[in-house]
Amino acid sequence: MAGPPFVPTVEDPIHWLSKDLKARFGGRVSKACLDAGFTCPNRDGTVGRGGCLWCDPGGSGPDDLRPGEGWEARLRRLASRALERGDAGVTAYFQAFTPTHSDPSLLGDILERALRVPGVVALAVGARPDCLSRETLDLLSRTAERTFLWVEVGMQTARDETLTAMNRGHGLAETRKACGELRARALPFVLHLMVGLPGEDEADVRRSHAAAVGMGPWGLKIHPLHVVAGSPLAERWRRGEVALWERDRYLKTVADLLEETPPEVTLHRLTGERPPGLLLAPAWCGDKRGVLGALQRELARRRSFQGRRLLPAGQTR
């Protein structure tokens, strides 16, 4: 049973996912990121080829794969390790590519196998807004009756021109439709937003954030545009065609977004991190701890917290 809702304050300013899961399960719940062999509709020709310009050949899957280790063996290893530490368990997060771009019976079998692994207490399923058919939504709804499940939807931006330029293959209308269908089924969902996309400034980012919050997500995932080896964006970056944001600009913008995020929304990510060799730029994305520490200091400097700008004038916590 979930505990009382977390309320951000100046002393504890961010409603991290970890707080929600700890209240729900009575202990720490880590995330096991998995690649179960899916693909994407803008890779296999359904809507396009080549994938999103920012995406690496691994479909943003796990960075620490062991040679020859399948997703089930990886999940068992990570879940066993979590239980040995005394954690409540793990979330089986099907992250790589687009798991909902598959036959619902295949996805259902994979989710069922994941639930049979000791220590798996929740499921997270990656999705594109144009890859949530009625059959897939029915499957997710049935599965959510048995375990805690959320859907991670790649929105990235509300600006259709940017989505087209990045070879995303869908627009804002598809995201609004998908979120409406998820809300109608009471399925918690997380919207992904990317800061610093080519051609976008702070005003564009704030408009995207406002649009995302307006769709009623359970969670948000925010991270900067970064260039990874093997992505179509890498060649443009090498030619000097892509300007990346500096860390201070990113941190100020994210602090602004947090102040405009309802306190009940869980935050799943506020920066991006890829390992050396895969990350090409910006270099500061390789220091997750440093970035998050600097964000905390920026909020402390402002004496601010998640949702502060949504409070009535003069009210604080």
Side-chain angles (χ1 to χ4, degrees):
M1 179 180 296
F6 173 77
V7 179
T9 64
V10 171
E11 291 74 25
D12 198 355
I14 301 173
H15 186 175
W16 289 110
L17 167 67
S18 58
K19 300 178 187 295
D20 186 282
L21 295 181
K22 185 174 183 179
R24 188 180 298 273
F25 295 105
R28 181 175 183 265
V29 177
S30 54
K31 186 179 288 184
C33 297
L34 306 169
D35 181 350
F38 299 106
T39 185
C40 281
N42 61 346
R43 287 177 182 260
D44 66 7
T46 303
V47 299
R49 296 283 184 183
C52 303
L53 263 63
W54 57 71
C55 197
D56 65 83
S60 298
D63 295 327
D64 58 346
L65 291 174
R66 293 185 176 183
E69 183 180 55
W71 72 264
E72 280 186 278
R74 173 181 172 83
L75 179 57
R76 290 183 184 280
R77 174 171 58 84
L78 295 177
S80 175
R81 182 185 301 171
L83 294 178
E84 290 172 359
R85 288 195 303 261
D87 294 353
V90 301
T91 297
Y93 176 25
F94 292 94
Q95 174 187 25
F97 299 101
T98 308
T100 57
H101 180 57
S102 61
D103 186 287
S105 62
L106 171 62
L107 178 59
D109 176 66
I110 287 173
L111 297 181
E112 180 65 34
R113 285 154 58 188
L115 285 176
R116 289 200 291 264
V117 174
V120 172
V121 298
L123 298 173
V125 181
R128 285 168 50 102
D130 56 349
C131 294
L132 284 167
S133 67
R134 177 176 296 179
E135 294 76 15
T136 297
L137 288 165
D138 287 344
L139 164 69
L140 296 174
S141 294
R142 291 193 302 271
T143 307
E145 294 174 356
R146 301 170 48 210
T147 190
F148 185 59
L149 177 149
W150 72 84
V151 182
E152 304 230 354
V153 181
M155 173 181 169
Q156 316 309 350
T157 176
R159 190 169 180 265
D160 282 344
E161 296 88 344
T162 302
L163 292 169
T164 298
M166 294 290 101
N167 195 39
R168 183 64 182 167
H170 69 75
L172 179 61
E174 286 84 356
T175 302
R176 291 192 188 279
K177 179 176 183 293
C179 291
E181 291 171 341
L182 291 164
R183 283 198 313 273
R185 293 169 179 267
L187 284 168
F189 62 93
V190 178
L191 287 173
H192 295 197
L193 292 173
M194 199 175 295
V195 174
L197 288 165
E200 294 199 351
D201 59 16
E202 286 84 350
D204 294 307
V205 173
R206 290 184 70 171
R207 281 191 288 268
S208 293
H209 174 265
V213 167
M215 295 180 211
W218 170 65
L220 288 177
K221 183 177 283 187
I222 302 171
H223 66 85
L225 175 68
H226 47 265
V227 181
V228 294
S231 68
L233 198 64
E235 287 305 314
R236 298 189 183 188
W237 171 74
R238 290 190 179 97
R239 294 195 299 266
E241 298 171 4
V242 179
L244 300 172
W245 283 26
E246 296 294 331
R247 192 180 82 158
D248 287 349
R249 182 184 183 188
Y250 176 77
L251 290 172
K252 181 182 182 302
T253 301
V254 172
D256 290 342
L257 299 183
L258 281 172
E259 292 179 334
E260 298 172 355
T261 300
E264 66 273 13
V265 173
T266 56
L267 273 300
H268 293 232
R269 179 184 294 165
L270 289 176
T271 186
E273 182 184 41
R274 305 309 295 269
L278 184 59
L279 176 68
L280 299 179
W284 58 264
C285 280
D287 181 19
K288 177 181 178 180
R289 181 174 296 181
V291 173
L292 293 179
L295 177 60
Q296 293 277 2
R297 290 192 294 275
E298 172 64 16
L299 291 172
R301 183 190 67 79
R302 301 181 183 198
R303 291 197 56 77
S304 192
F305 49 86
Q306 180 179 334
R308 182 184 66 82
R309 296 189 191 182
L310 305 179
L311 292 174
Q315 183 177 333
T316 187
R317 298 194 189 104

